[in-house]
């Protein structure tokens, strides 16, 4: 495979996904809104956030193991910021 074909293949696949993710995160960061603190069901929010990247993780045989504490369900937080924390933790290089 020539370098040109390899580059085109990367641009259509993993490189494009990576660039899209960076662009989306920068757009969200640039348009940050005022924090809205309200009750958030963290189990539902984690599931919703994990669903965004779970398919990509499965391609690398990575599964997200969920073990929720039964007494910790709702917390007072900004939903968007907490979702970003979950996303950062799930995509951080070197995470087990």
């Amino acid at each position: 495979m020539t370098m040109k074909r390899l580059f085109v293949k990367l641009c259509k696949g993993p490189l494009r996904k990576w660039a899209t993710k960076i662009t989306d995160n920068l757009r969200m960061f640039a348009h940050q809104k005022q924090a809205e603190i309200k009750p958030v069901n963290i189990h539902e929010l984690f599931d919703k956030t994990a669903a965004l990247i779970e398919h990509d993780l499965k391609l690398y045989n990575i599964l997200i193991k969920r073990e929720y504490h039964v007494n910790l369900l709702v917390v007072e937080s900004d939903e968007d910021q907490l979702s970003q924390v979950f996303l950062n933790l799930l995509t951080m290089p070197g995470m087990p």
Side-chain angles (χ1 to χ4, degrees):
M1 181 176 294
T2 67
M3 286 297 282
K4 183 178 179 181
R5 285 187 181 182
L6 179 61
F7 180 73
V8 170
K9 187 176 180 179
L10 284 172
C11 287
K12 290 182 180 179
L15 189 59
R16 183 176 183 169
K17 288 180 185 179
W18 177 74
T20 300
K21 182 178 172 183
I22 289 174
T23 305
D24 290 344
N25 285 341
L26 286 173
R27 189 179 310 120
M28 188 171 72
F29 180 75
H31 294 101
Q32 283 187 344
K33 61 179 181 64
Q34 183 70 20
E36 183 182 339
I37 306 300
K38 62 181 183 180
V40 176
N41 181 317
I42 60 171
H43 299 167
E44 288 177 9
L45 182 61
F46 182 84
D47 287 339
K48 186 171 90 173
T49 305
L52 297 173
I53 62 165
E54 213 154 19
H55 176 72
D56 291 339
L57 294 176
K58 285 181 183 177
L59 295 174
Y60 297 99
N61 294 321
I62 299 172
L63 299 175
I64 299 172
K65 181 178 178 182
R66 293 167 172 85
E67 292 183 14
Y68 298 132
H69 191 282
V70 293
N71 294 330
L72 183 61
L73 183 63
V74 176
V75 296
E76 294 285 325
S77 178
D78 179 81
E79 187 172 334
D80 293 335
Q81 289 181 1
L82 189 55
S83 179
Q84 186 63 48
V85 169
F86 289 151
L87 189 60
N88 290 346
L89 289 171
L90 288 168
T91 58
M92 187 180 300
M95 288 299 294

